[in-house]
């Protein structure tokens, strides 16, 4: 039996349905976003309570930050030096690797060095002392154990090892790697603060770049690993930031764009700053 609907009621129904569709679409977009091919991709989780990022020239006075640009420009010409095993926290691992590159030939070592310099300038403008683990992009190494030692002997309040991944071409997004307990169990003291650093960095980097969380590994843009010498040998809070997947066309287009790298640097600097200021706040003091 046909249901009779008055025209005015019909208009009301159409209006309600339209509002519901628009609201539903908006919600779905906010939750998932959409890549260029229309496939849903996860968006970085932005914590509702954003830590204040002080921009003043003395906000980070007295703090040391070590930025570790992954790989080096000379590694590809020094395979013997790069492949030699070095201590990695209960086992040996090769000194370093050549790193990834985009299909267009932009190498990871150049990207990480550029990003480190940009982020260092921002952190210095806030009063931090910033140490880089290599002075230029034309040398060899340093090996992963030496990189960790630089952070330790600088007395760094935070260390970020900067990388870009060479993952599967269809995989997109950035992720942060936090330390797990190393096989020699010597990095136990840094696990909790490094986890906090991973959280502030993930939040700030996602917010600054709009880059989605990695959809091809980890969980919610995070992996926890005990196979990286750089994390196993650190005695100060340290994480790796994998800024994107160089083998993915969409990520690569961002990575080669200097304007994107400027946003990435401010996200990196903001994540470190939030971590350092959070550590200063009374709510972060140890409870007795
Ligand atoms: Zn790398």
């Amino acid at each position: 039996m046909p249901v009779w609907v008055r025209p005015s009621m019909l208009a009301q129904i159409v209006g309600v349905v339209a509002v519901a569709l628009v609201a539903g679409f908006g919600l779905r977009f906010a939750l998932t976003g959409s890549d260029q091919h229309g496939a849903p991709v996860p968006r970085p989780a932005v914590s509702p309570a954003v830590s204040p990022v002080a921009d003043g020239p003395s906000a980070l006075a007295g703090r040391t930050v070590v930025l570790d640009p992954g790989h080096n420009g000379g590694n590809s010409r020094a395979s013997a030096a790069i492949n030699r095993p070095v201590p990695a926290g209960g086992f040996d691992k090769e000194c370093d690797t050549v790193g990834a590159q985009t299909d267009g030939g932009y190498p990871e070592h150049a990207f990480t060095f550029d990003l480190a310099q940009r982020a260092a300038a921002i952190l210095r403008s806030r009063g931090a002392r910033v140490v880089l683990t290599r002075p230029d992009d034309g040398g060899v190494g340093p090996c992963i154990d030496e990189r960790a030692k630089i952070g330790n002997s600088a007395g760094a309040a935070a260390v970020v090892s900067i990388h870009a991944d060479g993952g599967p071409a269809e995989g997109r997004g950035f992720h942060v790697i936090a330390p797990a307990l190393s096989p020699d169990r010597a990095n136990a003291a840094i696990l909790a603060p490094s986890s906090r650093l991973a959280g502030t960095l993930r939040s700030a980097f996602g917010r600054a770049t709009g880059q989605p969380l990695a959809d091809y590994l980890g969980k919610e843009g995070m992996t926890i690993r005990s196979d990286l010498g750089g994390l196993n040998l650190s005695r100060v809070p340290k994480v790796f930031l994998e800024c994107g997947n160089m083998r993915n066309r969409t990520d690569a287009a961002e990575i080669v764009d200097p304007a994107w790298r400027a946003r990435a640097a401010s996200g990196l600097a903001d994540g470190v700053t939030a971590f350092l200021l959070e550590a200063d706040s009374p709510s972060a003091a140890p409870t007795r």
Side-chain angles (χ1 to χ4, degrees):
M1 186 172 112
V3 178
W4 183 78
V5 180
R6 273 183 294 141
S8 62
M9 192 186 286
L10 185 63
Q12 272 185 332
I13 292 168
V14 168
V16 168
V17 168
V19 167
L21 281 174
V22 168
F25 177 78
L27 182 65
R28 180 188 167 277
F29 189 80
L31 286 174
T32 63
S34 176
D35 70 10
Q36 286 186 340
H37 311 286
V41 292
R43 284 285 173 209
V46 176
S47 61
V50 172
S51 302
V53 170
D55 223 0
S58 60
L60 302 179
R63 317 304 291 270
T64 298
V65 176
V66 169
L67 298 179
D68 174 32
H71 317 285
N72 205 337
N75 286 8
S76 59
R77 300 185 302 273
S79 53
I82 287 309
N83 292 333
R84 72 187 169 87
V86 297
F91 60 100
D92 286 352
K93 196 167 180 176
E94 61 268 29
C95 159
D96 201 354
T97 59
V98 171
Q101 62 174 1
T102 67
D103 288 351
Y106 184 54
E108 182 183 355
H109 61 78
F111 166 70
T112 65
F113 192 68
D114 179 84
L115 190 56
Q117 287 179 298
R118 292 172 185 270
I122 299 169
L123 290 164
R124 284 176 183 139
S125 77
R126 294 173 184 164
R129 180 172 82 102
V130 182
V131 176
L132 265 59
T133 55
R134 56 183 169 99
D136 54 46
D137 194 39
V140 176
C143 297
I144 52 173
D145 57 331
E146 295 164 42
R147 289 174 189 258
K149 277 179 203 157
I150 291 169
N152 296 344
S153 54
V159 183
V160 179
S161 196
I162 304 168
H163 290 260
D165 209 1
E170 68 278 9
R172 237 208 111 179
F174 81 100
H175 67 284
V176 181
I177 308 173
L181 187 63
S182 59
D184 65 5
R185 308 178 73 83
N187 69 344
I190 71 158
L191 300 186
S194 299
S195 173
R196 286 199 297 277
L197 173 59
T200 59
L201 198 55
R202 179 180 60 176
S203 186
F205 189 84
R207 198 163 47 237
T209 61
Q211 174 79 324
L213 302 176
D215 59 10
Y216 61 97
L217 86 180
K219 192 178 175 195
E220 294 174 353
M222 192 89 72
T223 61
I224 299 171
R225 292 171 58 173
S226 62
D227 64 319
L228 295 171
L231 296 179
N232 293 346
L233 298 171
S234 185
R235 302 295 175 256
V236 291
K238 181 172 181 177
V239 298
F240 276 44
L241 173 62
E242 295 277 0
C243 300
N245 177 10
M246 299 196 97
R247 307 311 300 268
N248 176 277
R249 189 179 298 188
T250 308
D251 280 5
E254 294 181 329
I255 285 166
V256 302
D257 175 8
W260 186 87
R261 293 201 296 273
R263 293 196 295 277
S266 63
L268 197 170
D270 285 355
V272 170
T273 303
F275 168 75
L276 295 177
L277 298 182
E278 203 174 83
D280 285 343
S281 74
S283 63
T287 48
R288 296 180 218 288

